[in-house]
Amino acid sequence: MDWLRWRAEHTPEREVLRFEGRSWSFGELDREVSLLARRLAVLSVGEGDRLAVLLSPGPLFVQAVHAVGRLGAVLVPLNTRLAAPELVWQLKDVEARLLLYDEVSAPQAEAIAARLPGLAAIRGGRLDAVAPADVPLRFQLDPAAVHTIVYTSGTTGRPKGAQLTYGNHGWSALVSALNLGLSPDDRWLAPMPLFHVGGLAILFRSVIYGIPTLLQPRFDPDAVHRAIDVEGATLLSVVSAMLARMLEVRGGRPYPPSLRAVLVGGGPAPQPLLDAAARLGMPVVPTYGLTETSSQVTTLAPGEAPRRPGSSGRPLFGVELRIEQDDRPQPPGEPGEIAVRGPTVMAGYFRRPEESARALAGGWLHTGDLGYLDPEGYLYVLDRREDLIVSGGENVYPAEVEAALLAHPAVLEAGVTGVPDPRWGQAVLAAVRLRPGARVTEEEIRGFCRERLAGYKVPAHVRFVDALPRNAAGKLLRRRLAD
Amino acid sequence: MDWLRWRAEHTPEREVLRFEGRSWSFGELDREVSLLARRLAVLSVGEGDRLAVLLSPGPLFVQAVHAVGRLGAVLVPLNTRLAAPELVWQLKDVEARLLLYDEVSAPQAEAIAARLPGLAAIRGGRLDAVAPADVPLRFQLDPAAVHTIVYTSGTTGRPKGAQLTYGNHGWSALVSALNLGLSPDDRWLAPMPLFHVGGLAILFRSVIYGIPTLLQPRFDPDAVHRAIDVEGATLLSVVSAMLARMLEVRGGRPYPPSLRAVLVGGGPAPQPLLDAAARLGMPVVPTYGLTETSSQVTTLAPGEAPRRPGSSGRPLFGVELRIEQDDRPQPPGEPGEIAVRGPTVMAGYFRRPEESARALAGGWLHTGDLGYLDPEGYLYVLDRREDLIVSGGENVYPAEVEAALLAHPAVLEAGVTGVPDPRWGQAVLAAVRLRPGARVTEEEIRGFCRERLAGYKVPAHVRFVDALPRNAAGKLLRRRLAD
């Protein structure tokens, strides 16, 4: 049975969502979802159709997540930070039947709709005027059916639509609870976009666990702190840039013990940042995940972080991990490409048989990320494979150099990439953002690195910058550093 | 991936099993399981074959549970308390390839084998002499594949082999944790046979959660108390007869807070017994389940029992329940047949297409049990449908009369059934076992009931007995009461 409907029948009064001072019970959300489904049916969304949403975090997004299943349709959550041509490309690629957007995205959505005459589009606020159709809704759930097509954030190549099934989302939620534990009083704080799996997965956990999502319209460190200190958030998902902002404004005030785990994803978090959070009593739980695996692949267990600096933890139950070099599994300690297998791995890319076959060759998802396992199976993520710098025949992992830079007291953020070099093939370039008021020379930075790193890893070039290039998810875009 | 193998790769050192002073880690058990699989292969157990086991609780049973999957075979756990003709019938019905038995069952097993010339049989102790075959083992897991064929306890008709899949067992374990919660320090105490799903399910939870089973060779209330008081058992599964024995020998000593939930299954437990357990600080959690649903269907949440006397709780996540009368769902408060749907419901009876179709008509498992739901969806189990007494056109639920009898201070156990009556069709007969030393007359018992029950429910006949007929699982066999 449809997870939300099950909740509505069994725990109708329990809270499922809190947003901008309003609260929804499972029963209320269920009614709204059926209503939305009946309206979408009028707008000719039916079995197998793709419903694209260009929505900020809010109740309409949550409703859409659950409404598609009742129509046998598939949700395509679009990244609201993308430019119009990128969105047009994705909407064409996925052959969306309808685009649902909100006030904030209206100018963007309307410009796009004008360029795609075949695409129907409706603003969320206008749904009220659509008389719901008395169509039969589906409440049975097929674990093998695709629920979502999520375009991968596109740091390389053209974006591809990863197809995530109900089974993928369900297993992910269930085994996440085996790792983090579960309490009936849990409340999951989501201060992030819902169009990435990191945010979307919270909505599935919410219905499966029977706990509320505390949803925030955008990341605001003060609002996050209010939810933690006052509203009793027990679980929180963030990317490291958000964590850094939180600590900047926290002013050293400890976090309450009610906050029992903070999932830190979206790329490796700098160890000094995790250490600073832990000093304030924040139970940080680094995680490694991707769109193609419905979020978490590996996650530390609560309390493990201090003993496992730099690690992203071990695989969730049932998920397998191996490190490959030339398609052969590597022993502990040897770096290589991270490969993943198991019930959370996507059902291929939408209408990309060749790219799907390549990505899933041999039954393993080849992530394009580099890392190694320690003898106990804990994962250490190094870099995206395409971020690897080869200088004078030696491999340089940008994340390792960035970690050294971040250990310098004057450095707030750092990004490292390779630039063409006539002698070494590539040379290491570091972009460094200093703390406000800090002063340090390029030579001091290089000297500091020289004490910590092999000579070939020390940045040949250091640039001081005001901001680092990041994508919509807050991930560092290393290939843009050279610009 | 095979759940045990996943554990062996990821948490090899963690404890999976404790039995008679010995302890096994996941890594050790995994090696023993592969060894057993390779030996079974020599004994020609292969893909699709049925391996029947006639084993007391112990490591060999646990190994067999995990070994079958590595051969693509199916486990048939036989009830060691059955008579030889019953076992012969089941072994023929299931067309077992091999019968694996132990010392205790040897006379029984050897007599059976003599009557089934086509059946190979081996005593566990002789496995060491079998040189393991170097066959390829399977470590991939197909959720739709059948793992177990469990013959239903057979209180009615001929036993039928309920086929339980990996998906059934896995979902059951995962959603049980959503209800009971999960702690890395959990230890599940199993003082019951493993051939019923109630015991078998503990073994699956153990590998999925990564926690040990504290397995006991037979039910012994002192050993159970030692495991709770000294060995740190946090979870316990019992049937109500076991619970009664425990309280008898406990002498009023409270249970430690480390014991965080006691699943009480195997038929409705008398409320006075649950109350007495709760007074000693035992966190009783009544549950309703069947073989065909891979154990729990409904379970109270920890702490709910005092506020929900008589209830077996609400369905586990994803499991649906309805009460049917003439195939129509009944409103809250109306009794009818309990029907169940969801991911824990069996894949039909082995080679019984007609009985499977009847049991699963309309996609719902028709349990043959009677009960009703309260307005909040809590289940109250009344009786097996075939135990229902119709007296003068009125329905009498034996469990209700038994509950009234058990409220009498002199009554230790009670069983109620219908006997032919020329005037009323059926009359109510009660079999009562008194507490040691208690004295009470039939008329006193009837008078006590008359204060609590409608006249047509008051037993027309009261018999004082030394023991009540129960099946191997401890379930009361009401139809034998009249004998």
Side-chain angles (χ1 to χ4, degrees):
Chain A
M1 183 180 235
D2 171 338
W3 296 321
L4 174 63
R5 172 49 57 103
W6 191 94
R7 281 283 162 208
E9 287 192 356
H10 295 87
T11 61
E13 306 299 333
R14 226 185 265 176
E15 187 180 30
V16 57
L17 180 65
R18 212 179 290 177
F19 180 76
E20 295 195 324
R22 260 208 69 187
S23 168
W24 283 257
S25 68
F26 282 98
E28 280 175 280
L29 179 62
D30 178 70
R31 286 188 292 278
E32 292 182 357
V33 163
S34 280
L35 186 60
L36 175 61
R38 294 183 187 288
R39 285 182 164 137
L40 293 172
V42 174
L43 301 165
S44 45
V45 177
E47 187 176 349
D49 289 335
R50 268 82 58 201
L51 168 70
V53 297
L54 192 65
L55 295 171
S56 309
L60 186 56
F61 200 121
V62 179
Q63 291 164 24
V65 165
H66 299 291
V68 286
R70 299 192 178 175
L71 297 167
V74 175
L75 186 77
V76 184
L78 297 171
N79 184 330
T80 56
R81 294 170 193 168
L82 294 184
E86 294 171 300
L87 292 168
V88 166
W89 189 90
Q90 291 182 14
L91 285 162
K92 274 189 183 163
D93 187 64
V94 85
E95 289 184 25
R97 166 75 64 173
L98 180 71
L99 173 65
L100 177 61
Y101 60 93
D102 57 16
E103 207 62 40
V104 183
S105 297
Q108 181 83 304
E110 284 154 17
I112 289 165
R115 290 178 53 185
L116 291 168
L119 176 75
I122 187 166
R123 193 188 294 200
R126 297 203 182 126
L127 281 167
D128 286 348
V130 178
D134 189 19
V135 293
L137 299 181
R138 300 151 183 256
F139 296 102
Q140 286 305 300
L141 180 153
D142 172 8
V146 173
H147 173 275
T148 344
I149 298 176
V150 187
Y151 279 80
T152 51
S153 48
T155 50
T156 65
R158 275 194 318 193
K160 299 175 286 285
Q163 301 179 103
L164 301 177
T165 66
Y166 289 86
N168 290 154
H169 289 303
W171 187 270
S172 179
L174 289 167
V175 296
S176 174
L178 292 186
N179 180 50
L180 294 180
L182 183 63
S183 151
D185 301 322
D186 275 336
R187 291 166 186 178
W188 206 303
L189 174 56
M192 64 215 303
L194 298 174
F195 51 75
H196 290 303
V197 279
L200 187 63
I202 298 171
L203 303 182
F204 287 106
R205 292 183 202 124
S206 175
V207 289
I208 290 176
Y209 306 165
I211 63 165
T213 301
L214 309 187
L215 187 61
Q216 301 193 332
R218 72 198 67 79
F219 174 71
D220 167 356
D222 294 322
V224 169
H225 283 142
R226 217 163 27 245
I228 292 169
D229 296 327
V230 181
E231 293 183 62
T234 63
L235 297 158
L236 165 64
S237 299
V238 288
V239 300
S240 64
M242 295 176 182
L243 183 57
R245 287 280 308 283
M246 287 172 65
L247 298 190
E248 272 175 47
V249 308
R250 187 70 180 175
R253 201 153 44 88
Y255 286 91
S258 51
L259 183 65
R260 67 177 192 80
V262 177
L263 270 186
V264 185
Q271 195 55 37
L273 178 64
L274 295 175
D275 293 342
R279 279 195 299 273
L280 297 184
M282 184 192 280
V284 283
V285 179
T287 180
Y288 165 71
L290 8 126
T291 300
E292 289 88 341
T293 59
S294 325
S295 78
Q296 306 169 61
V297 172
T298 63
T299 307
L300 278 176
E304 280 187 325
R307 287 174 290 125
R308 303 282 174 182
S311 173
S312 300
R314 295 202 281 193
L316 294 190
F317 180 72
V319 175
E320 294 171 74
L321 196 68
R322 70 183 198 192
I323 302 298
E324 296 182 348
Q325 197 69 264
D326 305 322
D327 293 330
R328 281 196 310 277
Q330 296 298 297
E334 288 296 315
E337 183 174 7
I338 300 169
V340 184
R341 184 165 70 172
T344 57
V345 172
M346 66 163 180
Y349 295 112
F350 182 70
R351 293 188 186 164
R352 292 266 183 286
E354 283 169 30
E355 277 149 304
S356 299
R358 200 159 47 236
L360 297 168
W364 290 84
L365 172 74
H366 302 276
T367 64
D369 290 326
L370 298 173
Y372 65 92
L373 296 171
D374 74 9
E376 292 168 273
Y378 286 81
L379 177 68
Y380 293 76
V381 178
L382 294 165
D383 279 295
R384 297 281 309 163
R385 189 168 50 181
E386 53 269 24
D387 286 343
L388 183 70
I389 305 166
V390 183
S391 185
E394 297 282 4
N395 287 350
V396 180
Y397 298 104
E400 187 186 5
V401 182
E402 287 161 8
L405 290 162
L406 285 163
H408 191 289
V411 175
L412 187 61
E413 288 185 274
V416 165
T417 191
V419 289
D421 184 273
R423 183 160 174 202
W424 304 111
Q426 280 189 298
V428 179
L429 173 132
V432 169
R433 180 182 162 210
L434 296 178
R435 292 186 184 280
R439 288 181 56 177
V440 63
T441 66
E442 174 171 352
E443 202 35 55
E444 279 167 9
I445 293 284
R446 289 166 40 84
F448 183 82
C449 288
R450 213 169 284 121
E451 290 168 23
R452 286 162 177 79
L453 297 170
Y456 66 89
K457 298 179 183 172
V458 173
H461 315 282
V462 179
R463 302 276 175 273
F464 297 102
V465 297
D466 293 331
L468 293 176
R470 294 190 182 274
N471 76 2
K475 268 191 202 166
L476 183 63
L477 297 174
R478 292 203 181 93
R479 284 157 314 113
R480 293 212 199 142
L481 284 171
D483 303 346
Chain B
M1 182 180 236
D2 171 341
W3 296 321
L4 173 63
R5 171 50 57 101
W6 191 93
R7 281 285 162 207
E9 288 192 356
H10 294 88
T11 61
E13 305 298 334
R14 226 185 265 176
E15 187 180 30
V16 58
L17 179 65
R18 213 180 288 177
F19 181 76
E20 295 197 324
R22 259 207 70 186
S23 167
W24 282 257
S25 68
F26 282 98
E28 279 174 281
L29 179 63
D30 178 69
R31 285 188 293 278
E32 292 183 356
V33 163
S34 280
L35 186 60
L36 174 61
R38 293 182 188 289
R39 285 180 164 138
L40 293 172
V42 174
L43 301 164
S44 46
V45 177
E47 185 174 350
D49 289 334
R50 269 79 61 200
L51 169 70
V53 298
L54 191 66
L55 294 171
S56 310
L60 185 56
F61 200 122
V62 179
Q63 290 163 25
V65 165
H66 298 292
V68 285
R70 298 194 179 175
L71 296 166
V74 175
L75 187 77
V76 184
L78 297 171
N79 184 332
T80 55
R81 294 171 192 167
L82 295 184
E86 296 172 299
L87 291 170
V88 167
W89 189 90
Q90 290 183 15
L91 285 162
K92 272 188 184 162
D93 187 64
V94 85
E95 291 185 25
R97 165 74 65 172
L98 180 72
L99 172 65
L100 177 60
Y101 60 94
D102 57 15
E103 207 63 38
V104 182
S105 296
Q108 181 84 302
E110 283 154 18
I112 289 164
R115 291 177 53 187
L116 291 168
L119 177 74
I122 187 166
R123 193 188 292 199
R126 295 201 183 131
L127 282 167
D128 286 348
V130 179
D134 189 20
V135 293
L137 299 181
R138 299 150 184 257
F139 297 102
Q140 286 305 301
L141 180 153
D142 173 7
V146 173
H147 173 274
T148 344
I149 297 176
V150 187
Y151 278 80
T152 51
S153 47
T155 49
T156 64
R158 276 194 317 192
K160 299 174 287 285
Q163 303 180 102
L164 302 176
T165 65
Y166 289 86
N168 290 155
H169 289 303
W171 187 271
S172 178
L174 289 166
V175 296
S176 173
L178 292 186
N179 180 50
L180 295 181
L182 183 64
S183 150
D185 301 323
D186 275 336
R187 290 166 187 177
W188 206 303
L189 175 56
M192 63 214 304
L194 299 175
F195 51 74
H196 290 305
V197 280
L200 188 62
I202 298 171
L203 303 182
F204 287 106
R205 293 184 201 122
S206 175
V207 290
I208 289 176
Y209 305 165
I211 63 165
T213 300
L214 309 188
L215 186 62
Q216 300 192 334
R218 75 199 64 79
F219 174 71
D220 167 356
D222 294 323
V224 169
H225 284 143
R226 216 160 32 242
I228 292 169
D229 296 327
V230 181
E231 293 182 61
T234 62
L235 297 158
L236 166 63
S237 299
V238 288
V239 300
S240 63
M242 294 176 183
L243 183 57
R245 287 281 308 284
M246 286 172 64
L247 297 190
E248 272 175 47
V249 307
R250 187 70 180 174
R253 202 153 42 90
Y255 286 91
S258 50
L259 182 65
R260 66 179 193 80
V262 176
L263 271 187
V264 185
Q271 194 57 34
L273 179 64
L274 296 175
D275 292 342
R279 279 196 297 275
L280 298 184
M282 185 191 279
V284 282
V285 179
T287 180
Y288 165 70
L290 330 78
T291 300
E292 290 88 338
T293 59
S294 326
S295 76
Q296 304 170 61
V297 171
T298 63
T299 307
L300 278 177
E304 280 186 325
R307 286 175 291 124
R308 303 281 173 184
S311 173
S312 301
R314 296 201 282 192
L316 294 190
F317 181 71
V319 176
E320 294 171 74
L321 196 67
R322 69 183 200 192
I323 303 297
E324 296 182 348
Q325 197 71 262
D326 304 323
D327 293 333
R328 281 196 311 275
Q330 296 299 297
E334 288 298 315
E337 182 175 8
I338 301 169
V340 183
R341 185 164 71 171
T344 57
V345 173
M346 65 161 180
Y349 295 112
F350 182 70
R351 294 190 187 161
R352 292 267 183 284
E354 282 169 29
E355 277 150 303
S356 300
R358 198 157 51 236
L360 297 169
W364 289 84
L365 173 74
H366 303 276
T367 64
D369 291 328
L370 298 173
Y372 65 92
L373 296 171
D374 75 9
E376 292 167 274
Y378 285 81
L379 177 68
Y380 293 75
V381 178
L382 295 166
D383 280 295
R384 296 282 310 165
R385 188 168 48 180
E386 53 269 27
D387 286 343
L388 182 70
I389 305 167
V390 183
S391 186
E394 297 280 3
N395 286 351
V396 180
Y397 298 102
E400 189 186 4
V401 183
E402 288 161 8
L405 290 163
L406 286 163
H408 191 288
V411 174
L412 188 62
E413 288 185 273
V416 165
T417 191
V419 288
D421 185 274
R423 181 157 178 209
W424 304 110
Q426 281 190 295
V428 178
L429 173 132
V432 168
R433 182 182 160 211
L434 296 179
R435 292 187 184 279
R439 288 181 56 177
V440 64
T441 66
E442 174 170 352
E443 204 32 61
E444 278 166 9
I445 293 283
R446 289 165 41 83
F448 184 82
C449 287
R450 213 171 283 118
E451 291 167 23
R452 285 161 178 78
L453 297 170
Y456 66 90
K457 297 179 184 172
V458 172
H461 314 282
V462 178
R463 300 278 175 273
F464 296 101
V465 297
D466 293 332
L468 292 175
R470 293 190 183 273
N471 76 1
K475 266 192 203 167
L476 182 64
L477 296 175
R478 293 203 179 91
R479 283 157 313 114
R480 294 215 199 136
L481 284 171
D483 301 345

